[in-house]
Amino acid sequence: MPIVETITTALTEPGARVVLVSAGTSPTTDAQQAVRALGRTVGALDFTSRADVPATQSRPFWTGFVTSTGTVSAPPTNLPHEGVATGPGAPAGRTSGRADLVLASLPARAAEAVSLDRLALLAADRLRCGGIFAVYTHSDWNPGELADPTGAIVASAQHADLLYLQHIVTLHAPVREGRLDAAPTPAMATEFARARHRATVRGLPAPHLRVHGDVLVFARAATSPAAAGHEPDEDRR
């Protein structure tokens, strides 16, 4: 799992607590083993209930310039339960320690299956102060309509008071002589062939082979002394 290993290595130190979020499917054993092999404690959170998807979700600020319909949902308060953490020194429950990294992988149309607002609140609830929430996703145009989840993910994370740090583009194809050299995996090639056939039959624009993904990085703000109940020192005269 190269992308899981890369994100974990870049955003955490050895010994850190890493939580993999399942959104539609459970985190694979390979992903958990990859994190554990890096010297991190790995846990899992179940986030699969479609019944939790509200009719409206948080939207990017710029959607108001496109349409005036719809409303923004209020933050939900009931959160999914934590799964079982595994690995040396794994926490026994939510009271034994917060996560240093919460990592989720979402498809292009994730908002149709899960509540992004609830996912962001879940991550914020699990993270320690200064902890990182990373989302690996991608856009998709194969059905003939562009689906780009990045704006909605950012809006939901900010709605949960998470700080938006960075948007990292991850290439699926190497750059050779100044050009992308696409080398799709068998699974990607099969998906692309199906999308191209579907587009031809329906008279839709030709699909594009996906050559990059997106990693969105957020952080839970560190608690200030005043927020923690300690007043800052004042000059004494």
Side-chain angles (χ1 to χ4, degrees), residues 38-78:
L38 296 172
R40 277 72 166 174
T41 295
V42 59
L45 285 173
D46 183 18
F47 192 79
T48 58
S49 175
R50 184 174 176 81
D52 293 330
V53 183
T56 57
Q57 302 194 51
S58 295
R59 302 177 300 161
F61 74 94
W62 43 260
T63 56
F65 299 116
V66 179
T67 176
S68 59
T69 61
T71 58
V72 177
S73 59
T77 55
N78 53 329

Side-chain angles (χ1 to χ4, degrees), residues 93-119:
R94 60 180 297 174
T95 58
S96 61
R98 299 282 181 170
D100 299 288
L101 171 66
V102 174
L103 175 58
S105 177
L106 299 177
R109 291 173 171 77
E112 299 174 2
V114 299
S115 167
L116 298 180
D117 284 346
R118 286 175 55 80
L119 176 60

Side-chain angles (χ1 to χ4, degrees), residues 80-162:
H81 297 289
E82 184 171 5
V84 178
T86 58
R94 60 180 297 174
T95 58
S96 61
R98 299 282 181 170
D100 299 288
L101 171 66
V102 174
L103 175 58
S105 177
L106 299 177
R109 291 173 171 77
E112 299 174 2
V114 299
S115 167
L116 298 180
D117 284 346
R118 286 175 55 80
L119 176 60
L121 287 167
L122 167 66
D125 182 64
R126 298 267 62 84
L127 287 170
R128 64 169 175 80
C129 291
I132 298 296
F133 175 42
V135 181
Y136 177 58
T137 188
H138 61 84
S139 58
D140 184 24
W141 198 6
N142 286 344
E145 180 180 351
L146 176 64
D148 184 355
T150 56
I153 293 171
V154 171
S156 294
Q158 292 179 327
H159 198 205
D161 288 334
L162 294 173

Side-chain angles (χ1 to χ4, degrees), residues 19-23 25-32 42-46 48 103:
V19 174
L20 303 179
V21 179
S22 61
T25 58
S26 298
T28 65
T29 301
D30 289 344
Q32 295 185 39
V42 59
L45 285 173
D46 183 18
T48 58
L103 175 58

Side-chain angles (χ1 to χ4, degrees), residues 149-201:
T150 56
I153 293 171
V154 171
S156 294
Q158 292 179 327
H159 198 205
D161 288 334
L162 294 173
L163 304 178
Y164 183 26
L165 300 184
Q166 197 169 13
H167 180 171
I168 303 171
V169 176
T170 61
L171 290 180
H172 296 168
V175 177
R176 293 191 175 93
E177 298 181 356
R179 302 182 56 143
L180 290 173
D181 185 10
T185 63
M188 292 175 60
T190 299
E191 178 188 353
F192 178 71
R194 290 175 179 172
R196 183 171 53 187
H197 174 72
R198 183 167 55 245
T200 301
V201 171

